Amino acid sequence: MRLSIEVSLDYTVTDPADILLQIEAAAMPDQRLEHQALTIWSDHGVTAVPGDDGIGQRCWVRVDHALRARYEAVVAVERLVVPLDALPATPARALGGDLIPYLLPSRYCESDKLEGFVRQRFAGLSGGAMAAALAEWVATRMTYRSGSSQGVTTALDTFASRTGVCRDYAHLLVALARAAEIPARCVSAYAPGVDPPDFHAVAELWLGDAWHLVDATGMARADEIVRVCVGRDATDIAFMTVFGEAWLCDQQVKVRRLD
């Protein structure tokens, strides 16, 4: 599957600010970059730094008055999708050090507070069977509603309200998976069919010694998702982090299938 990605960002700032951007598709074995170009209008230099787990990259930008950025890419996604319920569990004691952070609670994914629910509601399940059941539960019990959550909304808030946007779906699935002793991380991504068109957030679960993408909203198929970056939760995968104040003028994200 080949995808075309076009992003346009226009923001103003009240005072000079440092901004951390994460909008470039990551070059990975299962998603090949055929073309990409990032243009940032700035009176200062732009510095690229690696993303978490070596996936993708961030860009530091110094902004005096306004941020204008344009990004375009063509990405070939070549990913074999395996049914979750066919995948085995990996005992926690067998996990490597790089996976442990994705097994623990984080700021927006309070997995420790959901352990009791997971044990009772999904008793007897483990590994891929557990992951498939959790993904189905989030998909069927949640209602997608724009504007129903805020930047401070956590997985526990979402569990209580049963409403949210893609970020909330990802947080809840990640928190539930960690509560079930399945390493899980949040992924910032591009995908066709996202409504409204925007940066997308999905979950990625560690099963059978590999990461597997899961979009609990049902808007994106795993073989059509392009990763931008990964992290423990929204803190790590935000497309733009402003160290100061910024105001939105215009933002557009367009993702099209080319095949």
Side-chain angles (χ1 to χ4, degrees):
M1 175 64 64
R2 296 173 67 247
L3 300 175
S4 168
I5 300 166
E6 298 178 19
V7 178
S8 173
L9 301 178
D10 286 277
Y11 285 78
T12 60
V13 297
T14 52
D15 295 297
D18 290 325
I19 295 178
L20 190 60
L21 286 181
Q22 292 190 109
I23 63 173
E24 298 170 85
M28 301 181 69
D30 60 354
Q31 51 183 61
R32 178 168 46 85
L33 303 183
E34 294 185 357
H35 162 75
Q36 74 166 344
L38 173 63
T39 304
I40 299 173
W41 285 264
S42 173
D43 292 329
H44 306 277
V46 176
T47 303
V49 294
D52 285 355
D53 289 357
I55 294 175
Q57 71 174 15
R58 303 177 172 102
C59 287
W60 278 114
V61 184
R62 180 66 176 178
V63 175
D64 290 333
H65 304 288
L67 170 70
R68 293 182 60 230
R70 303 290 183 270
Y71 175 68
E72 61 179 33
V74 175
V75 183
V77 180
E78 301 165 346
R79 181 177 301 126
L80 178 64
V81 179
V82 180
L84 292 181
D85 55 11
L87 297 168
T90 302
R93 65 183 181 279
L95 296 173
D98 58 330
L99 292 171
I100 292 175
Y102 300 119
L103 195 61
L104 302 176
S106 61
R107 178 179 178 182
Y108 293 108
C109 298
E110 316 101 305
S111 52
D112 53 325
K113 297 178 181 178
L114 293 169
E115 290 174 359
F117 169 76
V118 170
R119 290 195 189 100
Q120 292 180 10
R121 179 64 177 78
F122 302 96
L125 298 179
S126 64
M130 172 68 84
L134 294 174
E136 181 181 7
W137 188 91
V138 174
T140 56
R141 302 305 172 92
M142 287 277 292
T143 298
Y144 192 99
R145 186 175 299 154
S146 297
S148 59
S149 62
Q150 301 175 353
V152 295
T153 300
T154 70
L156 199 61
D157 297 327
T158 301
F159 179 77
S161 70
R162 306 291 167 89
T163 61
V165 295
C166 62
R167 172 188 187 271
D168 307 302
Y169 278 72
H171 277 163
L172 183 54
L173 179 54
V174 164
L176 290 170
R178 292 177 188 171
E181 299 184 5
I182 299 172
R185 64 191 184 186
C186 291
V187 180
S188 175
Y190 295 113
V194 173
D195 186 22
D198 205 343
F199 297 100
H200 200 40
V202 300
E204 200 164 26
L205 311 183
W206 180 264
L207 294 160
D209 295 326
W211 287 107
H212 299 271
L213 290 161
V214 183
D215 181 8
T217 71
M219 288 192 285
R221 297 189 340 227
D223 60 351
E224 291 186 331
I225 293 173
V226 175
R227 298 182 200 85
V228 174
C229 56
V230 304
R232 296 162 299 169
D233 53 37
T235 305
D236 300 329
I237 67 168
F239 76 91
M240 186 172 75
T241 303
V242 181
F243 294 84
E245 291 185 321
W247 305 93
L248 171 65
C249 297
D250 184 61
Q251 177 175 303
Q252 297 184 35
V253 177
K254 299 177 183 178
V255 183
R256 296 182 295 110
R257 298 181 182 91
L258 296 178
D259 295 337

